[in-house]
Amino acid sequence: MSEENQVEEQPKPLILEKLEANHADALLAQDESRGTVVVTVRKEQSYAILEYLKTDPELAYTFLVDVTAVDNSQMESELMQFDYARFMVVYQLYSYQGQCRARVKVPVHENDLNIPSVTTLWQGANWLERETYDMFGINFEGHPDLRRILMPDDFEGHPLRKDYPLRGRGERERFNFDKQNM
Amino acid sequence: MGLDFVGQGAAETDGNIITTTIDKVVNWGRKNSLWPMPFGTACCAIEMMATLASKFDLSRFGSEAIRFSPRQSDLLIVSGRISIKMMPVLKRIYDQMPDPKWVISMGACASCGGVFDTYTLIQGVDQFIPVDVYIPGCPPRPEDLIDAVLQVQQKIASGAAPKGVEAVYE
């Protein structure tokens, strides 16, 4: 093989260095996806880590791009990795200062769907967490107004869960127009 | 102007008098002054806007007076996909329109759900409101919408009851 094919050793991203130095006990896994650092952290420390990433003057991940979740119930390989936690709550962050992105993933078990809300860190998390609650049923503790945001108020279930039937449970055919909030 | 005369002017009046029926005159007026209520929820609404704009110019057929109040309109154009959360709104708007009223279901999504065979989308608005004319297409061309309006006009001119009225007497 020629020298051109040799991969140059990349310097370790600052975020990983700092997290390993300060929050090593919370880190479950670290990965890289198309130039974005991906860290998986324990739920108990998720709020502390997100707060650290936002407030640390060197990292300054001040912009919360998105909050969402993944239902891994049919992904055996993913389930095995994190103690069979069904859901993975995902935070996408951006640092204007460092002009780089980071992804923080938090495994959440089905029997304990509570996770601390980050609305106190980012006001913008309000609707994002409501959507995640609506679609997956994740309960964000400390959220000021955790109601459905996309589905009708009287909707039952959380449609982006993998066990929710794609064509629904008959709600698109069954309508009681008197009962609806018209 | 599309008005069919039932009687011709008698010879002694030199063609200055016509005879017809009240129904025909009223229908003639209705057909040439349809006031659409646009219910645009998706890309079909863009085609509907193009139909109303100068290039396709729906006003050539007397339907340019778009009313955003259902109480002033007699033609409901459902253009776009209707979710289960939107269906009560559509139903209410349909109920608010004064009789007689006609409904065009524009495009695949409004007519049958289109490609969105999912839990959240109504698989055809005709399950809940009566539809007079369906337009296929994803989205349909403006010519298709004009054709649908002309079909509604034909239906009015023929004296046939709107689908909603038929439903009441069934």
Side-chain angles (χ1 to χ4, degrees):
Chain A
M1 300 295 277
S2 64
E3 288 172 48
E4 295 158 29
N5 282 351
Q6 281 191 344
V7 180
E8 201 178 305
E9 189 70 24
Q10 294 279 332
K12 199 165 199 175
L14 183 66
I15 171 174
L16 287 181
E17 265 179 33
K18 298 205 77 163
L19 280 179
E20 277 173 6
N22 295 299
H23 288 279
D25 56 328
L27 284 181
L28 290 171
Q30 45 191 349
D31 198 3
E32 187 268 339
S33 167
R34 301 181 193 186
T36 302
V37 175
V38 183
V39 290
T40 311
V41 303
R42 277 181 216 288
K43 192 171 83 175
E44 291 71 33
Q45 283 113 313
S46 69
Y47 185 88
I49 288 205
L50 288 163
E51 189 176 28
Y52 175 72
L53 292 179
K54 185 195 171 189
T55 51
D56 184 84
E58 281 185 294
L59 296 171
Y61 284 95
T62 49
F63 180 29
L64 178 70
V65 181
D66 198 9
V67 179
T68 185
V70 181
D71 181 355
N72 284 326
S73 56
Q74 288 166 17
M75 287 278 284
E76 189 64 25
S77 56
E78 289 284 320
L79 283 174
M80 278 165 60
Q81 222 175 329
F82 300 106
D83 190 26
Y84 284 86
R86 179 175 173 183
F87 297 102
M88 193 72 92
V89 177
V90 186
Y91 300 86
Q92 303 273 10
L93 304 175
Y94 183 71
S95 167
Y96 284 106
Q97 187 183 296
Q99 305 219 338
C100 56
R101 291 174 192 277
R103 186 178 308 153
V104 179
K105 302 207 284 186
V106 186
V108 175
H109 279 269
E110 194 176 5
N111 51 18
D112 181 19
L113 290 167
N114 299 318
I115 186 169
S117 166
V118 293
T119 44
T120 42
L121 293 176
W122 293 280
Q123 284 284 309
N126 190 317
W127 283 16
L128 300 172
E129 290 183 344
R130 275 178 68 185
E131 185 183 350
T132 311
Y133 161 73
D134 195 355
M135 292 291 140
F136 294 94
I138 308 285
N139 183 30
F140 290 89
E141 284 178 315
H143 191 285
D145 182 27
L146 196 63
R147 333 179 246 126
R148 289 186 184 279
I149 187 168
L150 295 175
M151 303 309 294
D153 291 337
D154 58 352
F155 191 81
E156 283 170 20
H158 301 284
L160 281 195
R161 287 187 177 188
K162 291 294 177 198
D163 55 4
Y164 198 89
L166 175 66
R167 294 183 173 84
R169 293 171 176 154
E171 59 273 65
R172 67 186 187 184
E173 286 91 18
R174 253 195 335 263
F175 259 97
N176 185 354
F177 286 109
D178 302 331
K179 240 179 73 182
Q180 293 286 333
N181 191 15
M182 282 172 73
Chain B
M1 294 292 284
L3 184 61
D4 300 321
F5 302 115
V6 284
Q8 290 297 324
E12 57 268 29
T13 57
D14 207 15
N16 289 326
I17 296 174
I18 56 166
T19 54
T20 179
T21 61
I22 288 286
D23 277 355
K24 286 222 165 188
V25 174
V26 169
N27 284 338
W28 172 73
R30 278 181 182 150
K31 126 185 200 292
N32 289 304
S33 62
L34 281 170
W35 283 12
M37 160 79 211
F39 200 86
T41 49
C43 33
C44 280
I46 305 292
E47 297 297 311
M48 181 175 62
M49 291 172 219
T51 314
L52 295 161
S54 52
K55 189 160 183 177
F56 294 96
D57 198 12
L58 196 58
S59 65
R60 290 179 292 160
F61 309 101
S63 300
E64 80 277 20
I66 284 281
R67 292 293 130 170
F68 288 91
S69 160
R71 295 183 196 280
Q72 297 175 347
S73 51
D74 52 6
L75 174 64
L76 179 63
I77 304 178
V78 184
S79 47
R81 61 192 98 90
I82 304 297
S83 66
I84 56 173
K85 204 174 180 180
M86 192 55 108
M87 193 61 224
V89 180
L90 175 61
K91 170 81 172 152
R92 180 159 195 185
I93 283 182
Y94 175 79
D95 287 345
Q96 283 176 336
M97 287 169 63
D99 277 322
K101 54 194 171 189
W102 292 267
V103 179
I104 291 177
S105 166
M106 180 181 181
C109 295
S111 303
C112 67
V115 297
F116 303 103
D117 189 8
T118 63
Y119 59 93
T120 188
L121 219 81
I122 298 293
Q123 302 295 299
V125 293
D126 56 355
Q127 294 176 65
F128 303 107
I129 60 172
V131 174
D132 291 277
V133 177
Y134 301 84
I135 314 176
C138 184
R141 293 270 315 168
E143 291 94 328
D144 295 327
L145 180 57
I146 292 174
D147 180 58
V149 171
L150 292 180
Q151 284 191 34
V152 171
Q153 290 190 353
Q154 271 177 14
K155 191 169 179 176
I156 299 170
S158 75
K163 192 82 180 185
V165 175
E166 288 169 14
V168 169
Y169 288 121
E170 259 170 18

